[in-house]
Amino acid sequence: MPYADGYDGPAAAWAAADPYAAALRAGRGPLFLRRADGRLLPLEVERWCARPDPVDLDVLDRCEGAVLDVGCGPGRLVAELAVRGRTVLGVDVSEAAVEHTARLGGPALRRSVFEALPGEGRWDTVLLMDGNIGIGGDPRALLARTATLLAPGGLLIAETAPADVDERFQVRISDARRTSGAPFPWARLGAPALLRYARGWRPTGQWTAGGRCFLALRSRRASSSAEPPKRTAVISSQRARKPSGERPVADR
């Protein structure tokens, strides 16, 4: 699947990363982002594959309306919101992540955030958890894209690095024994850096819990007459499927 705006590389790298898929299927690491300088950034696979912890649940309690989880991974947050009866969709470029989300009962699509998505401009909350503010290695571009996904005045909840950092680098996915795929850009941001990039957003909350840091931003985009995303189930699939009478999907 082609990815828009030059993001073919990162999406393809995640999608084809055998160590990443293997770790998600096993529910455990070790798994890392390996920087070009050899440094390893650990990925918390065990936490991602477990049930939502109290820190996660607090974030979900803050969500408003229909929720889009960008880079949903194995789907713990999507599944929990679905159990609560919320309109929710996870998107991820990894087939293994989407399959895992579906097994938990969460709706998900295998798709890049920079591709066309269901309900654009009508989501009430977008989540960028577990370091996903780094997607694409360009925070300004990701924030701009997120603004187009949200309804006017919509809420973005982003998990930031606990340190005051603002880094851009090339990474590959590694389990410390093998490194897979082509390098792709990633970013690592603390809350101060994210706030610097968040022009056009209104900060509404900042908190730390369990050693993790979060920032809530509200879109200032002008209001429109768009309706909210439908409260019908969105198909859990690797690709967008055609609507049918038995399994409705949100508008594309």
Side-chain angles (χ1 to χ4, degrees), residues 8-20 32 34 170-175 178-184:
D8 306 56
W14 275 106
D18 290 339
Y20 181 65
F32 306 91
R34 181 184 290 274
Q170 296 284 319
V171 295
R172 298 172 69 194
I173 300 168
S174 175
D175 61 8
R178 55 180 174 156
T179 300
S180 175
F184 59 93

Side-chain angles (χ1 to χ4, degrees), residues 38-180:
R39 292 172 57 190
L40 297 175
L41 302 177
L43 301 177
E44 298 183 71
V45 177
E46 290 83 355
R47 180 171 64 80
W48 299 350
C49 290
R51 294 178 61 85
D53 61 22
V55 177
D56 294 328
L57 295 176
D58 176 66
V59 170
L60 298 186
D61 289 343
R62 297 169 187 258
C63 292
E64 302 171 354
V67 182
L68 180 68
D69 186 0
V70 173
C72 67
R76 73 189 191 283
L77 306 179
V78 175
E80 173 64 23
L81 287 168
V83 166
R84 296 184 183 191
R86 300 287 291 274
T87 297
V88 61
L89 175 66
V91 294
D92 203 289
V93 296
S94 164
E95 178 179 350
V98 170
E99 289 176 348
H100 197 286
T101 302
R103 286 197 297 272
L104 294 179
L109 291 174
R110 184 182 176 191
R111 199 169 293 184
S112 164
V113 65
F114 294 100
E115 288 187 284
L117 294 173
E120 292 200 15
R122 293 175 288 169
W123 294 98
D124 300 299
T125 303
V126 169
L127 294 176
L128 285 169
M129 297 282 282
D130 303 324
N132 285 330
I133 190 63
I135 288 173
D138 186 342
R140 285 194 179 93
L142 184 57
L143 286 170
R145 174 56 175 150
T146 301
T148 70
L149 298 171
L150 283 166
L155 183 67
L156 166 63
I157 300 179
E159 183 170 353
T160 65
D164 183 5
V165 296
D166 184 357
E167 300 179 312
R168 320 286 181 86
F169 38 77
Q170 296 284 319
V171 295
R172 298 172 69 194
I173 300 168
S174 175
D175 61 8
R177 295 173 300 171
R178 55 180 174 156
T179 300
S180 175

